[in-house]
Amino acid sequence: MSGGSGAAGSALTWAALREVKCAELEDAADGWGRVSNRADAARDRIEGQLLPGLHDTQKGEAVGAAVGRLRRLGANFQYIYTECGLLRTTLNSLAHEIKAQQRVLQGALDDAAALRFTVHADGSVTYPAAGEGLVDGKPLAGGTASGVPNPGMVTPSGLVAPNPNAGKAQDIADRVAQAVRTAADADWRYTRILRALKAQEGLGVPAATWKDAAADAAAVRQAAGSYLRNAIPHDASPAERKAWWAGLTDEQREEYLAVYPDRIGNLDGIPALVRDAANRDNLQLLMGKLEGRDDEDSATKLAALREIDRQLRAVPVAGEPPMYLLGIGDQGNGRAIVSYGNPDTARNVAAYVPGLNTSLDEEFAKGDLKRARDTAMAAREIDESTATIAWLGYDAPQSPDGMSSLAVAGTERAENGGQAFRGFMSGLAASNDHGDPHMTAIGHSYGSRTVGAATQQGDGIPGVDDIVLVGSPGIGVDRAEDLKVGRDHVFVGAAENDVVTHLPSKERGLLEAAGRALGPAGALAVDMVHPRGEGLWFGEDPASEEFGARRFAADPGPPVVGLGRVSIDAHSQYFDPKLDSASADSIAMVVAGAGHRVKQESAR
């Protein structure tokens, strides 16, 4: 091709197109693939063996310097892996498109040979005399047809050539011209991409380089649509996606991971190790993408991504479960799904859905991830084969007004989030190695409403055995049995001073106390959140006797009004083993499959 074999470009002819050796392009792609794989293996060795080894056996300033250099080297290998993978797919995709046009061309040439037509060097086709003249009965004269690369752009003349060979020759000439034109366009597109795939000089891989890599990946994705993207089974079930991935060759998997880490990493049903590898690479591309922006939303998400990246790269602390990045994205309020422990190999798998005001920011990256990590560590003391996940896979309602805005949050986000959560849990059930793993859905705050919405779709949440609801404003149903896991498998934590848990209740005491402290505006907020009257919002109080769930003990938490200020801290400490060990321990028991050991508290 242009810049290579010189077979394409603006001067491409059908003879040159026919002679393009696509096998050579594919061989070159294989070579870049081998370089990519070696870089990936080197990165794995640095992060999986060398860094932990230094951390565990050596101390001192020299070790710190060595760790820094190794981290830089690992980042360089990751960049090499990404760029070389893009080169491989670019060459393979080019070969794929050229071979398709070679097939079109060969079909036209075969038809011409069968009809004894002559295809000239310029693509025109000469056809012989045929048919009979209306006047003298003699064969109608032959002629030459010139191809039209884009027939749809030519207005039909309405005239029909009397020689029956004329139409056949025109069709052949058009197919030849279209094949040449399409191949030339492909050559031009891929030449631009290949010229852009080059690294800057130096040993470092700064943020600007990852920004360029993100642009490179976007260009290759756009060009390789027919080659790779269209085959990704987005509309299939998680089990079908798992089977699709298992049926790919190693080379195909490597290409998907290199070019579409965002799609593969967020595809429910794909194995956790694959999703983790894809998302770690996509994380770098996302940070590069956001680096060049100066808006507040991008800065907020970038800070969160950097914190998640820092945690992923940290040397594992003894006793802590390993992290797996099962999802990442910047759409909407941001997406992040992090597992502590491998959810495919664990007997017990739990997913925690956060609520109001949760988004991809530093608070999520530090606070919400800590909740999942704390729960995983406590549950693993009961059963080591446990994984706990923080699932930010939806747009939770956002408001600076906190609890008073729950009333206007509505249910749409819970319904949409519930559908996404249901698909995620179905994917975990499909990819887990155990025949029937014990699975738990945990909803906090508005996240409990999202979990509740997920249970009302179909036969409930696939694979889920137990449901834990903490700090819940109501979940959209009035009875525990409506959640489709059995009332004895629904566990509720409701701190006495947690204002949000009183939202579904007919008791207004705590809310009115908060309203008085806030003045007239607070009183209005109370009426918005919990109007006087008999109506309930988001369904029955999950902690009530009428609801029928198993309520466990929770620390009351700080009072709503105290020390001259309003506090809703009681809403946020259910998972904290230091601030609320009773609740944290109960959650861990349920997650580890020991819900029968949970000590019950009296219902409201």
Side-chain angles (χ1 to χ4, degrees):
M1 306 305 293
S2 61
S5 63
S10 59
L12 180 66
T13 65
W14 66 261
L17 172 58
R18 183 177 61 180
E19 297 306 316
V20 172
K21 295 180 175 57
C22 290
E24 294 181 358
L25 290 172
E26 292 169 334
D27 287 344
D30 290 342
W32 286 111
R34 288 190 291 272
V35 174
S36 178
N37 291 339
R38 285 197 293 270
D40 193 37
R43 177 188 61 174
D44 284 345
R45 184 166 182 265
I46 288 171
E47 296 182 354
Q49 299 179 26
L50 298 182
L51 284 174
L54 277 175
H55 182 271
D56 294 341
T57 62
Q58 305 294 323
K59 304 294 180 184
E61 294 183 6
V63 175
V67 167
R69 287 193 292 270
L70 280 173
R71 289 196 185 283
R72 184 176 70 175
L73 183 59
N76 289 352
F77 278 128
Q78 183 168 17
Y79 177 73
I80 293 170
Y81 160 77
T82 298
E83 290 291 284
C84 290
L86 293 176
L87 277 165
R88 170 180 52 193
T89 298
T90 299
L91 292 170
N92 275 333
S93 187
L94 172 58
H96 172 78
E97 293 197 30
I98 294 301
K99 284 194 290 187
Q101 298 314 311
Q102 285 178 326
R103 289 192 294 271
V104 172
L105 171 64
Q106 193 58 53
L109 296 178
D110 290 344
D111 289 347
L115 293 167
R116 298 183 183 276
F117 293 177
T118 300
V119 181
H120 301 284
D122 63 357
S124 61
V125 178
T126 297
Y127 55 91
E132 295 182 354
L134 295 177
V135 178
D136 56 12
K138 294 181 179 180
L140 298 171
T144 300
S146 296
V148 179
N150 297 301
M153 302 295 291
V154 179
T155 303
S157 66
L159 300 177
V160 179
N163 186 329
N165 284 331
K168 298 174 184 177
Q170 187 63 56
D171 174 67
I172 292 171
D174 287 347
R175 282 188 281 158
V176 170
Q178 291 164 35
V180 171
R181 171 62 182 272
T182 303
D185 285 348
D187 178 51
W188 179 79
R189 284 187 287 111
Y190 285 102
T191 296
R192 292 181 64 196
I193 293 172
L194 288 169
R195 286 173 178 166
L197 287 169
K198 59 181 180 180
Q200 298 178 357
E201 294 183 1
L203 295 176
V205 182
T209 302
W210 278 111
K211 179 182 176 182
D212 290 340
D216 293 341
V220 175
R221 290 172 191 167
Q222 183 176 4
S226 62
Y227 173 58
L228 290 177
R229 183 182 63 222
N230 295 343
I232 299 175
H234 292 291
D235 296 330
S237 69
E240 290 169 335
R241 292 169 182 165
K242 179 182 179 182
W244 168 76
W245 184 260
L248 297 177
T249 65
D250 289 342
E251 291 76 13
Q252 288 172 322
R253 293 174 188 165
E254 290 163 4
E255 287 199 73
Y256 274 113
L257 288 173
V259 182
Y260 292 108
D262 56 332
R263 295 174 183 261
I264 300 303
N266 291 283
L267 201 60
D268 297 329
I270 299 298
L273 289 175
V274 176
R275 293 181 69 163
D276 177 64
N279 286 314
R280 287 178 186 245
D281 291 326
N282 191 39
L283 176 61
Q284 303 303 316
L285 297 176
L286 281 174
M287 289 192 293
K289 172 185 172 182
L290 297 177
E291 280 285 352
R293 300 179 180 178
D294 57 6
D295 60 284
E296 184 177 351
D297 180 65
S298 295
T300 298
K301 290 174 179 173
L302 180 58
L305 295 177
R306 285 173 173 165
E307 173 58 22
I308 292 173
D309 182 56
R310 183 195 67 77
Q311 293 182 36
L312 288 168
R313 292 181 181 276
V315 177
V317 177
E320 287 196 1
M323 289 177 66
Y324 295 85
L325 189 59
L326 303 183
I328 199 74
D330 64 342
Q331 64 268 39
N333 295 330
R335 302 286 187 270
I337 306 172
V338 178
S339 180
Y340 292 90
N342 187 336
D344 286 354
T345 59
R347 284 189 299 271
N348 306 293
V349 181
Y352 146 64
V353 183
L356 184 71
N357 283 338
T358 307
S359 63
L360 186 58
D361 56 17
E362 280 194 281
E363 173 57 32
F364 171 83
K366 294 178 179 178
D368 288 281
L369 293 192
K370 181 180 183 298
R371 291 175 179 175
R373 183 173 62 249
D374 286 344
T375 300
M377 292 181 66
R380 287 163 74 95
E381 290 182 3
I382 302 169
D383 186 343
E384 188 175 14
S385 184
T386 299
T388 302
I389 300 162
W391 185 85
L392 181 58
Y394 79 122
D395 285 331
Q398 302 293 304
S399 173
D401 299 327
M403 65 156 189
S404 66
S405 298
L406 276 168
V408 294
T411 62
E412 182 179 359
R413 296 198 179 198
E415 297 295 334
N416 293 338
Q419 183 176 3
F421 183 65
R422 191 172 182 276
F424 175 73
M425 297 303 283
S426 179
L428 292 182
S431 62
N432 191 277
D433 295 341
H434 299 274
D436 185 21
H438 170 254
M439 297 177 63
T440 304
I442 306 172
H444 174 242
S445 186
Y446 188 87
S448 67
R449 179 64 182 86
T450 303
V451 170
T455 67
Q456 300 307 294
Q457 301 171 17
D459 297 326
I461 308 176
V464 167
D465 304 285
D466 291 310
I467 292 176
V468 177
L469 309 168
V470 288
S472 176
I475 58 175
V477 300
D478 292 333
R479 298 290 181 269
E481 54 262 32
D482 295 336
L483 299 180
K484 303 175 184 177
V485 293
R487 60 183 295 170
D488 289 339
H489 292 273
V490 180
F491 300 83
V492 175
E496 194 55 38
N497 290 328
D498 181 357
V499 175
V500 174
T501 69
H502 290 270
L503 295 181
S505 171
K506 298 175 185 178
E507 300 297 329
R508 293 168 48 94
L510 286 171
L511 291 175
E512 288 177 341
R516 286 193 298 272
L518 292 171
L524 176 61
V526 169
D527 281 330
M528 289 176 62
V529 172
H530 199 311
R532 296 180 186 275
E534 297 302 315
L536 300 180
W537 180 69
F538 279 1
E540 185 65 63
D541 177 4
S544 69
E545 185 175 354
E546 291 81 4
F547 189 80
R550 300 180 65 182
R551 185 185 181 192
F552 54 81
D555 187 273
V560 177
V561 181
L563 300 178
R565 70 183 184 93
V566 175
S567 170
I568 58 171
D569 291 348
H571 184 59
S572 304
Q573 60 186 39
Y574 293 99
F575 300 88
D576 195 313
K578 294 182 179 178
L579 297 178
D580 192 348
S581 60
S583 173
D585 288 347
S586 295
I587 295 171
M589 288 180 195
V590 177
V591 168
H596 59 281
R597 292 167 48 184
V598 171
K599 183 179 179 180
Q600 287 193 239
E601 173 115 320
S602 298
R604 284 177 175 166

